[in-house]
Amino acid sequence: IAPGGTAALVTVAVPNNLRFRMIGIGFGADDEVALQFLTWAILLNGDAVSSGYTNVASAVGSIRNLAEIFQNVGSSSTVVIQATVSAISAVTYRYICRVRGWFYLEKEV
C-alpha cells in the first residue's frame, strides 16, 4: 500500500441464512517497521461499523497471535478489513491480515 493509500486486506462474504462471528484479528508486514504507519477499520457493506473498529492502530495482534475482537455480522453481508497507511510513510509496504471466526445458524427452540 502506497503512503496515504487505502486497501482492502480481507473480505468475508456472509452467506444467506447464516451469521458470522469474528473473534480474532492480526496484522503483519514484510518489514515490521511498516506496522507503525498502518491503521485499520472494519467495514460492513461498505460502511464503517458502529462498534468502535475505525482508525485502529495495527499493534493489536500478529499473524501468529491474534488479538481478541468481538464482531457479529448478520446474513447476506460483506465484511471488509480496510487498511490505511499514513502519508508520512517513506515507501510502499506490503501488509497482511488474518481474521478468525465462524459462520453459524440461529435456530429457535
Side-chain angles (χ1 to χ4, degrees):
I1 304 172
T6 300
L9 296 180
V10 175
T11 301
V12 178
V14 182
N16 295 335
N17 301 322
L18 293 179
R19 293 178 180 228
F20 177 62
R21 168 76 162 86
M22 188 184 308
I23 62 164
I25 192 166
F27 296 88
D30 290 336
D31 181 355
E32 295 298 316
V33 172
L35 293 175
Q36 69 183 332
F37 302 111
L38 180 69
T39 58
W40 59 273
I42 297 176
L43 304 181
L44 180 59
N45 296 324
D47 297 322
V49 297
S50 61
S51 59
Y53 295 115
T54 57
N55 202 28
V56 181
S58 65
V60 296
S62 68
I63 296 299
R64 271 193 148 164
N65 299 313
L66 301 178
E68 289 185 20
I69 191 171
F70 185 91
Q71 186 64 53
N72 283 325
V73 179
S75 67
S76 307
S77 299
T78 302
V79 180
V80 175
I81 307 300
Q82 182 182 52
T84 303
V85 177
S86 171
I88 64 170
S89 172
V91 296
T92 298
Y93 292 106
R94 184 178 78 102
Y95 294 95
I96 53 178
C97 176
R98 179 177 161 215
V99 296
R100 182 174 13 159
W102 59 83
F103 296 112
Y104 65 97
L105 179 63
E106 237 177 43
K107 293 185 346 182
E108 291 186 32
V109 236

